[in-house]
Amino acid sequence: AITVWQELLSSLRARGAPSWSPPPERLVAAVRSLPGWDTCDVRVTSSDGLEVLTTGRPGRPRLFVSEAALRALSDEELDAVIAHEHA
């Protein structure tokens, strides 16, 4: 978890304050269908980089997905990435 925060914080500092967009309903539904993620906080960042990462703690997970990742990945690819982050 510390490594993820180090990566996330350095990325956010480089760009300034983060900008969030509402996540697509399909993304929220896919994420919250996974075991233990029924209350996962899903956030879409305005990043131009392909970024998908998780933070939080058991019972309070948070998933960050960049707008670039939503544009570049097919639904099947995004599902695979989410499954990887969930593992």
Side-chain angles (χ1 to χ4, degrees), residues 2-86:
I2 293 172
T3 301
V4 171
W5 272 111
Q6 289 171 337
E7 292 176 21
L8 178 62
L9 289 176
S10 65
S11 177
L12 294 176
R13 283 187 194 121
R15 286 190 292 273
S19 173
W20 313 114
S21 300
E25 287 298 320
R26 185 217 168 281
L27 175 62
V28 173
V31 168
R32 291 186 178 166
S33 71
L34 297 169
W37 277 19
D38 54 322
T39 61
C40 185
D41 180 17
V42 182
R43 298 195 179 195
V44 176
T45 69
S46 60
S47 173
D48 290 331
L50 291 175
E51 299 172 350
V52 180
L53 58 102
T54 54
T55 65
R57 59 179 195 243
R60 295 187 56 101
R62 180 175 289 163
L63 178 75
F64 292 89
V65 180
S66 67
E67 289 178 355
L70 291 176
R71 287 191 303 270
L73 300 174
S74 69
D75 286 348
E76 294 79 20
E77 291 168 330
L78 188 56
D79 287 343
V81 171
I82 292 168
H84 169 79
E85 290 297 320
H86 181 259

